[in-house]
Amino acid sequence: MLRSDRFNKADRVIRIGFWANALLMVVKLAAGHFGHSEAVFADGVESACDFIAIGMTLIALKVGRKPYDSDHPYGHGKVESLSAIFVSLVIAATGGWILYGAATTMLAGRYSAPALVAVLAAAGTIVAKEALYRYSMKVGGDLGSPALLAIAKDHRKDAITSVATLVGVGCAYFGLGVMDPVAAGLTSIFIFHIGYHTFRTSAHELMDGQPEQSLLDAIAQLARSVEGVDQVHEIRARHSGQYLIVDLKLDMPPEMTVKRSHDISTEVKRRIFDHFSNVGDVMIHINPSDEPHEDLIRL
C-alpha cells in the first residue's frame, strides 16, 4: 500500500467518526433536554468532548502524513501517539465527569422521569458507536495506526456508556429512577480502564518501546533467509505512527567485499519492505561472523 493511500484511508475513517459524532451529539443533547433525561443529556456532552478529541486526531493525521525532512529525519509519525495520549486523557476525564454526576445525583436523591425519546436516543447510540468501533478497529489494526486505534477505543467507550445510559434511562422510564446514576457510576469504571489502556500503549510507543516479539522474530527470520546472511546478531524496532523503524545487525563472512555486503543488505531491506507494509525504514549494520562482537552503546 502506498504511503498516501495509508493516510487517505485513515483520514476517511476519522472523518466518518467525526461527522457521526457531531450528529449523535446534537441528537442526544436534544433528546436529553426535551426528553427530561440528565443521563442522555450528559451523554451528549460526552459526545461533544469526543468531537473535540477526534478533531485533534484529524490534525495529528495531517501533520503525521508529512514525509521526513531535515528537522525530522524519522518522519512525523510520533504525533499520532501524542494524539492518542490526548484522547486517552479525554476518555479518563469523561469517566471522572460521569462518576461525579452519578454521585451528585444519588446524594441529592432527585431522580428524573425521562420520556421515550431519551430511551430511543440511548439505544440508537449503542448501535451507531459499536459499528464505528468495529470499523475503526479493523482499519486501525490493518494500518497499525495508534491514532485510529485510540479513536476506536473511544467509540467502544461511548457504546459502553450508552449501554449504562439505556439501562438507567429505561429503568427510570418505568419508575426506578435510582438505576440511572447507579448504572452511570459502574460504567465510569470501564471508561477509566479504557483510558488507562490507551494511555499505556501510546506512552510505550512514545518511549520507543519494542513492538510484539512475534513481529521481530518474523522480520529476523526473513533476514536470515537471504543468501549471504550467516546470522541476525540483533534486531530492534520502534514505532513512528503507522510505521516501524527497524535496526538490524547482520553477521556476514569476513572475506566478503563491501560491495557484496551492501547488495545483500539492500536485498534484506527490499524483502522486509515487500513482506511488511508497516515498516517505514530499515537500518542495517554488518558484523564479521567469525569473531565475537562487542556492542558499543551508551544508553
Side-chain angles (χ1 to χ4, degrees), residues 76-109:
H76 300 77
K78 290 288 187 183
V79 72
E80 286 201 39
S81 296
L82 282 172
S83 172
I85 288 283
F86 177 80
V87 172
S88 73
L89 295 178
V90 171
I91 292 174
T94 301
W97 184 78
I98 292 174
L99 181 61
Y100 172 78
T104 301
T105 300
M106 292 185 70
L107 289 174

Side-chain angles (χ1 to χ4, degrees), residues 48 51 159 201 296:
F51 186 74
T201 301
L296 299 178

Side-chain angles (χ1 to χ4, degrees), residues 17-46:
F18 182 78
W19 291 113
N21 231 68
L23 178 61
L24 288 171
M25 175 184 68
V26 173
V27 169
K28 287 188 286 187
L29 288 175
H33 176 73
F34 294 108
H36 310 292
S37 172
E38 293 183 10
V40 174
F41 189 84
D43 214 10
V45 174
E46 179 194 349

